[in-house]
Amino acid sequence: MKRSVIDILDLSVDELNGLMDTAEDIIANPDDYADSCRRKKLATLFFEPSTRTRMSFEAAMYELGGNVLSMTDAASSSASKGESVADTARVISCYADIIAMRHPKEGAALVAANNATIPVINAGDGGHCHPTQTLADLLTIRREKGSFSGLTVGLCGDLKFGRTVHSLINALSRYDGVRYVLISPEELKLPSYVKEEAIKPRGIPYEQTESLEDAMPSLDVLYMTRVQKERFFNEEDYLRLKDSYILDPAKMALGRQDLIVMHPLPRVNEISVAVDRDPRACYFKQVLNGKYMRMSLILKLLEEAAS
Ligand code: NCD
């Protein structure tokens, strides 16, 4: 049965764990998967800039032995002639077996999924969701920390517009024993709907602070984010807020020895390059984990679609 993944909540905790287990198996035995998607095609439809997410999907499909059809520039596609997302999804369904789509509008991936006859994976819809980044994040935390239980997770930066943060909180909140420290300027606080839906009903402990320094000593995981320039209504606000937090070696010195630092990338100024040498920096491992989790998800959805 055809099934799409638009929101991380479309996957149960058992399924998330299963996807991580498959990713571990792919890491251990890549040759076993080299022909798993032979003669299958992934279409990547990116209506918004992306390097790593699109290439990660494409690398994932190639490593599964499949092929890729790629739309990288909305300006040169039929969208610029006024074609609707619904029609694009129906058309691409005639060419490919699975779609990965990124779009600046919240809800666009759902519209595509409702109109496509093949599975659609949301690769980011506006400030809403980014489920495959969350898959990368979960595998990174599980590989580095062993489990999710008992972790204090600091999320820092643009918690308002950062879709990776919203998806990650939705996912992690379903594991027992997690607590959050939400670190942001007043204007970029986590939207209340995320708190009301994911954090409060489960009684998950959380703190809000503007100070990264104060938060550092208590954290097991620090998830840094970029201030989302493209979602601001005026340049002035962006310029005022863009350098609110810069993680540097002096701040790292306040963190625990077993802290892990994550970032969905691209980084702008939030993490100084000097931190890259610190063994606690995990953001490049996160990139690699993202490819394995996308392989795992593509496999699962294509298998389900065939059954
Ligand atoms: C993130 C995104 O697109 O939301 N990037 C990514 O997919 N790795 C984070 C960001 O753009 O800041």
Side-chain angles (χ1 to χ4, degrees):
M1 259 263 287
K2 170 211 142 184
R3 177 180 170 204
S4 294
V5 172
I6 305 306
D7 191 308
I8 195 71
L9 297 174
D10 293 337
L11 296 162
S12 69
V13 170
D14 281 350
E15 286 176 317
L16 293 176
N17 294 338
L19 285 167
M20 287 186 263
D21 294 343
T22 303
E24 291 287 2
D25 197 50
I26 295 171
I27 294 168
N29 308 296
D31 290 349
D32 292 356
Y33 294 86
D35 283 318
S36 304
C37 290
R38 209 164 70 84
R39 306 191 57 169
K40 296 287 181 198
K41 281 170 277 171
L42 164 78
T44 51
L45 304 184
F46 277 66
F47 295 88
E48 198 184 54
S50 161
T51 330
R52 85 216 63 248
T53 303
R54 181 175 58 77
M55 290 181 72
S56 174
F57 270 108
E58 296 181 357
M61 194 56 171
Y62 283 124
E63 287 190 29
L64 292 167
N67 293 306
V68 170
L69 302 171
S70 185
M71 189 205 86
T72 53
D73 178 12
S76 66
S77 77
S78 293
S80 67
K81 298 182 188 167
E83 185 173 57
S84 66
V85 166
D87 279 4
T88 304
R90 291 187 74 160
V91 169
I92 301 303
S93 299
C94 302
Y95 305 144
D97 300 283
I98 185 164
I99 293 173
M101 184 175 112
R102 170 169 289 190
H103 199 283
K105 285 208 184 112
E106 286 81 4
L110 184 61
V111 172
N114 288 341
N115 289 278
T117 57
I118 57 177
V120 174
I121 303 174
N122 182 7
D125 61 331
H128 185 219
C129 292
H130 193 349
T132 61
Q133 180 62 47
T134 302
L135 297 180
D137 301 343
L138 292 176
L139 183 64
T140 305
I141 297 173
R142 197 176 85 165
R143 296 202 102 203
E144 300 300 320
K145 306 298 293 183
S147 88
F148 302 102
S149 179
L151 294 182
T152 299
V153 179
L155 299 131
C156 178
D158 188 346
L159 309 188
K160 179 177 180 189
F161 296 114
R163 56 193 172 194
T164 61
V165 169
H166 306 162
S167 288
L168 181 57
I169 290 178
N170 275 321
L172 278 180
S173 297
R174 293 187 289 167
Y175 289 90
D176 287 339
V178 172
R179 54 171 65 229
Y180 300 115
V181 184
L182 306 173
I183 308 152
S184 74
E186 183 61 30
E187 292 99 319
L188 297 179
K189 272 165 74 173
L190 190 72
S192 51
Y193 80 89
V194 181
K195 272 185 249 163
E196 297 302 328
E197 286 169 18
I199 301 181
K200 290 189 183 165
R202 297 185 175 85
I204 297 171
Y206 73 96
E207 278 166 52
Q208 301 194 92
T209 174
E210 294 197 21
S211 167
L212 176 56
E213 285 88 340
D214 288 355
M216 278 308 273
S218 68
L219 304 179
D220 299 298
V221 175
L222 172 60
Y223 194 93
M224 295 296 293
T225 61
R226 172 179 74 88
V227 175
Q228 304 280 298
K229 180 178 187 196
E230 63 277 38
R231 317 234 183 269
F232 275 75
F233 294 110
N234 73 67
E235 173 100 11
E236 226 171 82
D237 287 348
Y238 169 70
L239 292 175
R240 186 167 46 81
L241 292 167
K242 75 180 173 62
D243 292 328
S244 298
Y245 301 101
I246 300 177
L247 184 65
D248 56 15
K251 291 197 191 76
M252 287 297 285
L254 304 171
R256 293 184 186 165
Q257 277 313 307
D258 62 353
L259 169 73
I260 63 167
V261 177
M262 299 172 64
H263 190 304
L265 304 179
R267 77 173 143 188
V268 186
N269 279 330
E270 316 74 61
I271 303 181
S272 79
V273 288
V275 174
D276 299 357
R277 288 191 297 273
D278 191 305
R280 295 170 291 178
C282 288
Y283 26 93
F284 294 115
K285 290 184 191 167
Q286 218 176 325
V287 175
L288 197 55
N289 291 334
K291 183 186 69 179
Y292 293 122
M293 286 304 271
R294 291 183 176 102
M295 289 172 78
S296 183
L297 181 64
I298 290 169
L299 262 178
K300 177 179 171 64
L301 295 182
L302 284 178
E303 266 168 29
E304 288 184 14
S307 64

